[in-house]
Amino acid sequence: MTQKMDMIETLDALFAEVTLLPVINIEREADILPLADALAAGGITTLEITLRTPLGLSAIALLRRERPQLCIGAGTVTDAAQFAAVEQAGAHFAVTPGITEELLQLGLNSRIPLLPGIASASEILAGYRLGYRRFKVFPAHVLGGPALLKAFAGPFQDVRFCPTGGIGQQSISDYLALDNVMAVGGSWVAPKTSIAAADWAEITRLSLAATALAGQR
Ligand code: 3PG
C-alpha cells in the first residue's frame, strides 16, 4: 500500500500559502489561547503543538474548538496511541521527529496527513517506497542546514521538506530560497522564556519579523 495521493495534496494545500511552522510546547493551560492569538497577530496561521508536555493534546483540542480559523498540527507524535489521540483531538496533520515502520504504516491509512521526520537519504527512501513525498527534516541545522537540503534535491526531485531544528530569523531565507523547502519550522518565534513571562507582545514582534521575511519568498 502506498500513501494516497490525496494525503500529499492535503499537505500541499495546507502549506500552499504557509511557509512558517512554529513549534510550540505548552507548559501552562492559561498560555494556550493568548499564545495562539499573539502568533496570529504576527501573521501565523499554522502551528505545531507538540506532545512533549502533558498539555499538548488538550491544547490541540482547545485550539480546534476556540480558534477554528487556525490550522493545528500535532508534533512529536512517536507511537500509535499518540497518533490515534491527536486524530481524535482534531489535529489537521501529524508530525513525527523520526520514522518507525509503525508510524509510516499508520500515516497511510489515517484521516489526517503525516509529515514524517527524516535525517538521512535512507530514511527518505523508507518513506518514499510507501509513497511519502513530504517530510520534516530534523534536526536540520546540525544535519547540514540548507546545504543538506540542496543535496537532497539531487536524488529526490519530487520530494519537498519542512526543515526544523536550529532554525532562526537569520537562516529562514536561506532555507526558503530552496525549491524543495515547503516551509521552515521551529521554536524561535515563541521562545520558552517569552511564553514563561507571558510576553505576548514579544511573540507577536518575532512572528511579524518572521512572516515579513517568509512573505518575501
Ligand atoms: C522540532 O521539533 O522541530 C524542534 O524541537 C524545533 O527546534 P528548535 O527548537 O531548534 O527550533
Side-chain angles (χ1 to χ4, degrees), residues 8 21 29 32 51 58 73 79 84 101 159 174 192-193 200 208 216-217:
I8 298 169
L21 181 62
E29 196 171 356
I32 300 167
L51 300 191
S58 55
D79 62 26
E101 189 58 29
V159 174
D174 295 338
K192 203 177 171 151
T193 47
W200 311 127
L208 281 170
Q216 289 166 14
R217 183 183 194 176

Side-chain angles (χ1 to χ4, degrees), residues 101-172:
E101 189 58 29
E102 177 189 47
L103 287 168
L104 289 175
Q105 288 296 338
L106 282 170
L108 299 181
N109 299 307
S110 163
R111 278 186 289 112
I112 59 173
L114 169 64
L115 195 60
I118 59 89
S120 70
S122 299
E123 291 166 5
I124 297 171
L125 280 180
Y128 197 94
R129 62 179 276 276
L130 296 174
Y132 286 87
R133 297 292 183 270
R134 306 290 179 261
F135 298 91
K136 162 174 170 154
V137 176
F138 178 76
H141 175 70
V142 297
L143 288 170
L148 173 84
L149 274 301
K150 240 181 250 174
F152 281 161
F156 303 111
Q157 296 186 1
D158 56 349
V159 174
R160 297 173 73 219
F161 300 96
C162 177
T164 75
I167 297 176
Q169 180 72 11
Q170 73 296 340
S171 56
I172 58 179

Side-chain angles (χ1 to χ4, degrees), residues 23 48 52 136 138 164-167 185-188:
V23 176
E48 176 187 326
R52 286 174 218 183
K136 162 174 170 154
F138 178 76
T164 75
I167 297 176
S187 61
W188 82 96

